[in-house]
Amino acid sequence: MKLGFIGMGNMGLALAEGFLHSGLLSPADLAAFAPNREKLQKNAARLGFIPCKTAHEAVAFADVVIMACKPQQIEGVLNELGDALSGKALLSVALGWDYARYAAKLPSTRIQFVMPNTPAAVGEGVFLFEEQNSLQSEEKQALAALFEALGTVITLPSHLMGIGGALSGCGPAFVCMMIEAYADAGVKYGLTREQALKMTAATVGGTAKLLLETGKHPGELKDAVCSPGGSTIKGVTALEQAGFRANCISAIDAIMKK
């Protein structure tokens, strides 16, 4: 499968790096166009993909076009491409551009909206596939397998893509804030920055893996660490008094407000 990227910013790079890291695609299977030619050339030299001079060139190369530019740029890109996307498969990772929005503009294009997150670059991404799509069955299977090599694929109905994206797409920022805060506490009490960040990040990653692999409720795993009168329950109490869980919900509320 040959992929042609339109846009090669942070998310496009994360996906390209993830696909290559998985070993399922080679650099020769990837081409990309981005308006910042200098940055595109540097990334192409580093990763080995084919840099394209125009969006038309990337589309002509591809079996599947990946729309990875900024949402506000897509209207202009579609106008520029004209009929070039007719008969093509288009996978879009641009927020706000779902199946219905594309289908109204590209009736002859097969469309799949996917909401990814940045851990895709290290094979630990979360990819939300919109249930409504017009891909051929073999295309959908091939793309799902490709993305599963980069992490977790979850299919959601259109009306749940917003909240799904709030959790998985914005979540890495919130997790990084938490890691940074606990690392600051570690430095406060004598650890080096490197030590504090490494142990905190590893603890977060290990705990998440434990939860996913055991299928246990997070409250059960929390309780297993909280011995009577112990240090952990004292810390849990302090977090509850500070409104930790309510503040987490409030962050999602802020995203979901229209």
Side-chain angles (χ1 to χ4, degrees), residues 29-181:
D29 295 320
L30 304 182
F33 165 76
N36 188 330
R37 184 72 181 167
E38 182 180 353
K39 185 177 179 181
L40 180 68
Q41 291 280 16
K42 287 181 179 179
N43 286 322
R46 180 170 64 88
L47 296 178
F49 65 77
I50 301 166
C52 297
K53 294 180 180 179
T54 66
H56 280 273
E57 186 181 339
V59 169
F61 168 88
D63 299 315
V64 177
V65 177
I66 297 184
M67 191 70 73
C69 55
K70 292 180 174 61
Q72 63 269 26
Q73 296 174 323
I74 291 179
E75 194 87 44
V77 171
L78 295 182
N79 290 336
E80 178 188 340
L81 288 172
D83 294 333
L85 290 169
S86 181
K88 289 280 187 176
L90 173 69
L91 186 148
S92 179
V93 296
L95 187 65
W97 280 81
D98 59 6
Y99 172 83
R101 190 170 181 183
Y102 274 111
K105 291 183 173 294
L106 301 171
S108 301
T109 302
R110 301 186 301 281
I111 299 157
Q112 174 71 69
F113 173 43
V114 176
M115 201 172 289
N117 66 4
T118 51
V122 292
E124 295 292 343
V126 174
F127 306 96
L128 308 181
F129 273 55
E130 185 179 16
E131 191 172 59
Q132 187 178 15
N133 68 85
S134 52
L135 293 180
Q136 296 171 350
S137 59
E138 61 270 21
E139 288 173 333
K140 186 172 182 181
Q141 290 174 3
L143 284 169
L146 188 60
F147 278 86
E148 282 169 354
L150 275 64
T152 300
V153 172
I154 299 172
T155 300
L156 289 177
S158 301
H159 72 280
L160 292 179
M161 290 292 285
I163 179 58
L167 292 177
S168 62
C170 304
F174 306 150
V175 172
C176 284
M177 289 174 70
M178 184 180 70
I179 290 171
E180 184 183 27

Side-chain angles (χ1 to χ4, degrees), residues 11 14 27 35 40 48 123 163 194 198-199 256:
M11 185 51 65
L40 180 68
I163 179 58
E194 182 181 9
K198 187 173 183 178
M199 69 178 65
M256 296 301 292

